[in-house]
Amino acid sequence: MSTTAPSDDIGTRLRLVRQIYGLTQRELARRAGVTNGAISLIEQNRVSPSISSLKKILDGIPLSLADFFTHNFAASDQVFFAAAELTEIAFGETVSMRMVGGNLKERALQMLQETYQPGADTGEEMLRHQGEECGIIVSGSLTVTVGAQEKTLQPGDAYYFRSDIPHRFRNPGPASCQLISASSPPSF
Amino acid sequence: MSTTAPSDDIGTRLRLVRQIYGLTQRELARRAGVTNGAISLIEQNRVSPSISSLKKILDGIPLSLADFFTHNFAASDQVFFAAAELTEIAFGETVSMRMVGGNLKERALQMLQETYQPGADTGEEMLRHQGEECGIIVSGSLTVTVGAQEKTLQPGDAYYFRSDIPHRFRNPGPASCQLISASSPPSF
DNA sequence: TCCCGGCGTTTAGAATACTTAACAATTTTG
DNA sequence: CAAAATTGTTAAGTATTCTAAACGCCGGGA
């Protein structure tokens, strides 16, 4: 019953959200049906808006009151990640991953660039966890086992399954295999 | 980025929360440092409170703005569950569970009364999932394996582990085993 | 350079929220 | 049962928010 409380500095919060969405005070005011002056005063914390006003304004973005108070907008400002910025994760000698946005908080999604060396295998005791996952082979080939099904995927091929179905990845070929995967929620 | 938006009927919402917490308008007003009249007007939707007022009022409960807008208070009104109301879940012939609050939405916690018949076994391919779990043996005995550790628990004994550590439950004895377990988040 | 358009800010007045103090209805208590 | 305390609601006045219209600032184009 206890969500981490965001700062009650509504003004800064609103200004941040507005700028993230690339709106000017006047443009947002027009969409929301309020005056630009009101938004200015609120953003300076010179007034404490009524719920009805705040709701009108957020509707112009659009964003729900719940999302406005729940999410930590300050923490999620990085949008683009250079290849060198991806977080490296290694599993033994044969499997390595590069994660997008490893520094972000409260992610709902995880995207990885994975590399399987020849012979790499996640092991016979199948992987199982909550959520769903999906991937596309970029180069090389990969044998994917999901429940009773098994297939060797070539570049361009893809998979999608509920992660609670036992699954396993192996690289049978002589070349290393690269793929891009996404899963939700993140498992690390 | 999109949470399910609660009704924007702030008045009804506030009245519901206040009553759930067993407070009168005057008592809440006293704690919050506002007048009972203000709370009355807000609850009737005759005014749309300012954020500052609403925050003061919620502080008197106490409840954060984020929680106020996020949670679905109307849905979580059942507090007591008769034995007959527990939801039955069966796994094969040897394991059965009875869940508390199976009808509730947005649970953060799952509590089960589990029964393992003699010889019951969750299997060699160990269980793994997100969260944490905990249990206490009520009757009979149960062999619990968690990672490299294994122990046969007697009535009164308990366990607690991160659910991502592979685990397994078996009933080695001649009698059936009952236990009470809790896990978070719920896995079904 | 000057003008134009857009930006956020400010001010005076209209609209709304909040307080104070009373009221009626119900429950508690002696 | 009657007195007293407690509950939610309401009316009038005060405090606050919001609107309308102006201000000063900055950058781009004749």
Side-chain angles (χ1 to χ4, degrees):
Chain A
M1 183 63 88
S2 178
T3 304
T4 45
S7 144
D8 55 337
D9 177 356
I10 305 298
T12 306
R13 196 169 184 77
L14 176 59
R15 174 160 291 173
L16 188 56
V17 170
R18 176 175 62 80
Q19 290 172 341
I20 286 174
Y21 283 82
L23 298 170
T24 66
Q25 289 182 348
R26 281 183 155 85
E27 173 60 16
L28 178 54
R30 193 189 60 71
R31 296 196 196 185
V34 301
T35 58
N36 60 308
I39 294 179
S40 178
L41 294 171
I42 293 168
E43 288 187 351
Q44 297 171 81
N45 284 321
R46 305 238 316 240
V47 300
S48 176
S50 68
I51 296 289
S52 63
S53 299
L54 184 58
K55 174 150 200 323
K56 275 199 284 185
I57 293 169
L58 294 178
D59 283 348
I61 288 183
L63 191 69
S64 74
L65 283 164
D67 285 347
F68 179 76
F69 285 107
T70 302
H71 291 293
N72 184 2
F73 294 99
S76 63
D77 46 5
Q78 186 173 6
V79 174
F80 301 107
F81 298 83
E85 286 181 312
L86 301 187
T87 310
E88 283 279 358
I89 308 167
F91 294 94
E93 297 293 320
T94 55
V95 181
S96 76
M97 303 186 177
R98 297 158 53 76
M99 175 167 43
V100 177
N103 54 322
L104 300 183
K105 313 293 181 196
E106 300 185 51
R107 289 171 300 143
L109 188 66
Q110 171 177 83
M111 175 156 279
L112 297 168
Q113 180 188 58
E114 311 184 17
T115 305
Y116 289 80
Q117 299 301 331
D121 188 342
T122 57
E124 232 171 322
E125 72 290 3
M126 314 272 273
L127 304 170
R128 294 181 73 179
H129 47 95
Q130 286 210 328
E132 306 181 13
E133 59 191 281
C134 174
I136 300 184
I137 310 300
V138 174
S139 66
S141 65
L142 193 71
T143 302
V144 181
T145 311
V146 179
Q149 303 181 61
E150 179 169 303
K151 185 164 190 189
T152 299
L153 301 174
Q154 305 301 330
D157 292 347
Y159 61 84
Y160 192 135
F161 54 84
R162 296 214 328 275
S163 307
D164 57 356
I165 302 174
H167 49 282
R168 178 185 189 180
F169 300 95
R170 279 173 293 160
N171 181 357
S176 77
C177 173
Q178 285 216 348
L179 73 129
I180 305 294
S181 77
S183 56
S184 173
S187 39
F188 45 83
Chain B
M1 183 62 89
S2 179
T3 305
T4 44
S7 145
D8 54 340
D9 176 356
I10 305 298
T12 306
R13 196 170 184 77
L14 176 59
R15 173 160 293 174
L16 187 56
V17 170
R18 176 176 62 80
Q19 290 172 340
I20 286 174
Y21 283 82
L23 298 170
T24 66
Q25 289 182 347
R26 281 183 155 86
E27 173 60 15
L28 178 54
R30 192 190 61 72
R31 295 195 196 184
V34 301
T35 59
N36 60 306
I39 294 178
S40 178
L41 293 171
I42 292 168
E43 289 188 350
Q44 298 171 80
N45 283 321
R46 305 239 315 241
V47 300
S48 176
S50 68
I51 295 289
S52 63
S53 298
L54 184 58
K55 174 148 199 328
K56 275 199 284 185
I57 293 169
L58 295 178
D59 282 348
I61 288 184
L63 190 70
S64 73
L65 283 164
D67 285 345
F68 179 76
F69 285 107
T70 302
H71 291 292
N72 184 1
F73 295 98
S76 63
D77 46 5
Q78 187 174 6
V79 174
F80 300 108
F81 297 84
E85 286 180 313
L86 301 186
T87 310
E88 282 280 356
I89 309 167
F91 295 92
E93 298 293 321
T94 56
V95 182
S96 75
M97 303 186 179
R98 298 159 53 77
M99 177 166 41
V100 177
N103 53 323
L104 299 182
K105 314 290 180 198
E106 301 187 49
R107 288 172 301 142
L109 188 66
Q110 172 176 85
M111 176 156 279
L112 297 168
Q113 180 188 58
E114 312 184 17
T115 305
Y116 289 79
Q117 299 300 333
D121 189 342
T122 58
E124 230 170 325
E125 73 290 3
M126 314 272 274
L127 304 170
R128 292 182 72 180
H129 47 95
Q130 286 208 333
E132 307 181 12
E133 58 191 280
C134 175
I136 299 185
I137 309 300
V138 174
S139 66
S141 65
L142 193 71
T143 302
V144 181
T145 312
V146 179
Q149 302 181 60
E150 179 168 305
K151 185 163 190 190
T152 298
L153 301 175
Q154 305 301 330
D157 293 348
Y159 61 83
Y160 192 135
F161 54 85
R162 295 214 328 274
S163 306
D164 56 356
I165 302 174
H167 49 281
R168 178 185 189 181
F169 301 94
R170 280 173 292 160
N171 181 357
S176 77
C177 174
Q178 285 216 347
L179 73 129
I180 305 294
S181 77
S183 57
S184 172
S187 39
F188 46 81

